[in-house]
Amino acid sequence: MKIVVDRAKCEGLGMCEAMAHEFFEVQDDGTMVVLDENPGEEHRTELAAAVDACPVLALSLKD
């Protein structure tokens, strides 16, 4: 599984970080960093919740 970020859409709102802080971090300048782009399958539920929480639809998961 891979976390995909559409950088053109991402506004650094931090909903992803709130849902899955071990995978996402919003920097002081508002940019979001993916801490682990290829997480294990055991994290799918948590990451799907983070993807769904993104108000600008900037995140997706690819298998």
Side-chain angles (χ1 to χ4, degrees), residues 5-50:
V5 181
D6 183 337
R7 295 287 173 187
K9 290 182 179 179
C10 182
E11 295 180 5
L13 299 173
M15 296 305 294
C16 56
E17 183 179 23
M19 299 297 291
H21 66 274
E22 60 274 8
F23 296 100
F24 304 100
E25 184 177 290
V26 178
Q27 304 296 300
D28 290 339
D29 66 358
T31 59
M32 187 272 290
V33 175
V34 178
L35 302 174
D36 181 359
E37 290 186 352
N38 298 292
E41 188 64 32
E42 67 273 15
H43 300 288
R44 182 175 291 275
T45 301
E46 176 183 13
L47 289 168

